[in-house]
Amino acid sequence: MGIIMGLILGAIAGFVASRIMGESSGTLKNILLGIGGGFVGGLVFNLIGLSANGWIGSLVVSTVGACICIWLGRKLF
């Protein structure tokens, strides 16, 4: 996936996750949440034996991972 598409997908995933978790955040934080969420979501989905294909699957994995990141951030800080 291209870098631009990854940033756009990360921004969308971060935005969706912030709305699900009731956070209000800016675009840069959404992008970072989506990218970090993609990493965390990929690890979690891999651990439970699931995989995602295509950009919709990547969006779902990134959104779930971003929700996990937001939850962990709330618990730690």
Side-chain angles (χ1 to χ4, degrees):
M1 188 179 317
I3 297 210
I4 301 296
M5 191 63 185
L7 291 174
I8 292 170
L9 187 66
I12 294 170
F15 175 77
V16 171
S18 67
R19 296 297 174 222
I20 290 172
M21 299 298 288
E23 291 279 319
S24 61
S25 57
T27 305
L28 181 62
K29 186 176 178 183
N30 285 340
I31 291 171
L32 294 175
L33 269 174
I35 292 170
F39 179 72
V40 171
L43 288 175
V44 170
F45 273 56
N46 194 19
L47 285 174
I48 60 176
L50 296 174
S51 64
N53 296 322
W55 66 272
I56 293 177
S58 297
L59 181 65
V60 170
V61 169
S62 295
T63 302
V64 170
C67 287
I68 292 170
C69 288
I70 291 171
W71 179 77
L72 282 174
R74 287 180 180 170
K75 293 296 179 187
L76 293 175
F77 303 108

